[in-house]
Amino acid sequence: MGRLHLFDMDGTLLYGSAAAVEISRQLGLDREITELERAFIAGEVTPVRFAELACELWAELTEEVVTKAFEGAPWLAGIREVWADIRARGERCAVISLSPAFFVERLTLWGADAAHGSRWPALPFREPVEPDGILSASAKVRIMDELCAEFGLSRSDCVAYGDSLSDTALFAAVPASVAVNADHHVSALASYAYDGRDLREAYELVRADG
């Protein structure tokens, strides 16, 4: 029986960082994004409002800046190797993140079978945010179910990797999960816990069970 490995991105594949932080760093907006991230984590702004405010903040964002942010981000070591091993074993891997799809989808070039993020306006931003395109924590479960249907699998075949509150619904819906550099929201729900900077080591915790 195959398995579907589901990876969060911000704080999980990205060590101690997030797409919004890395993009803002390229634009010299570190202080502004720190405050916006704080408000989001505290529940003071919704995912939709976060996207709206970030679009205002990144008024002149270009694909070139996104590329620099992606390439310079603090990714965990071994991501490509883990995904190559998963696919060599006849299993599947996907990324589901609340971050902009124009950042998340680049991970398909590293070997992910699928990568889902929030649908933001095209770059440079000239159109408003469409609320229906912005993902929430519950959307991760919906996307998992859609991927399972596409790959002929079920929730019982899934393994989730995540680090924070936005991963709790997904962790509660699958039989196996790995808390990666995680906070208290997911630690109690996870089957395994990993602290470090190499995805290969986190993957080994569940690889032998496959």
Side-chain angles (χ1 to χ4, degrees):
M1 177 67 71
R3 288 195 300 179
L4 173 59
H5 298 255
L6 300 160
F7 296 88
D8 172 56
M9 185 183 71
D10 296 338
T12 302
L13 298 177
L14 282 170
Y15 182 81
S17 192
V21 172
E22 296 305 314
I23 290 170
S24 296
R25 182 171 293 135
Q26 292 294 327
L27 296 169
L29 297 168
D30 302 66
R31 179 181 60 80
E32 291 84 349
I33 201 61
T34 296
E35 175 56 27
L36 185 54
E37 285 272 327
R38 183 207 61 76
F40 177 71
I41 293 171
E44 297 170 9
V45 297
T46 66
V48 171
R49 187 56 181 155
F50 181 95
E52 291 172 341
L53 293 171
C55 281
E56 293 176 10
L57 195 60
W58 304 338
E60 301 305 319
L61 182 62
T62 64
E63 289 286 351
E64 290 76 15
V65 173
V66 175
T67 297
K68 289 181 180 178
F70 184 90
E71 293 177 350
W75 299 101
L76 292 188
I79 294 174
R80 293 176 181 85
E81 291 85 350
V82 166
W83 292 349
D85 186 79
I86 287 171
R87 298 181 73 171
R89 290 160 61 90
E91 299 179 350
R92 302 281 189 166
C93 55
V95 181
I96 309 175
S97 171
L98 307 190
S99 282
F102 58 71
F103 194 98
V104 181
E105 289 172 356
R106 292 166 181 252
L107 290 168
T108 58
L109 299 176
W110 289 10
D113 289 291
H116 292 264
S118 292
R119 188 177 68 252
W120 290 39
L123 296 174
F125 302 132
R126 297 293 182 264
E127 301 296 326
V129 170
E130 295 182 6
D132 290 347
I134 305 303
L135 300 184
S136 63
S138 61
K140 290 190 173 188
V141 177
R142 172 180 58 79
I143 293 170
M144 173 186 65
D145 288 337
E146 292 171 355
L147 290 170
C148 283
E150 178 182 347
F151 298 140
L153 300 170
S154 68
R155 290 186 181 185
S156 62
D157 302 313
C158 293
V159 182
Y161 304 73
D163 74 303
S164 62
L165 183 61
S166 70
D167 302 304
T168 54
L170 193 59
F171 272 41
V174 301
S177 55
V178 184
V180 180
N181 298 313
D183 63 23
H184 67 281
H185 292 104
V186 295
S187 296
L189 296 172
S191 310
Y192 305 92
Y194 172 73
D195 292 308
R197 303 193 67 157
D198 195 320
L199 188 63
R200 289 165 293 199
E201 296 172 353
Y203 172 56
E204 280 300 320
L205 297 174
V206 292
R207 184 180 186 275
D209 295 336

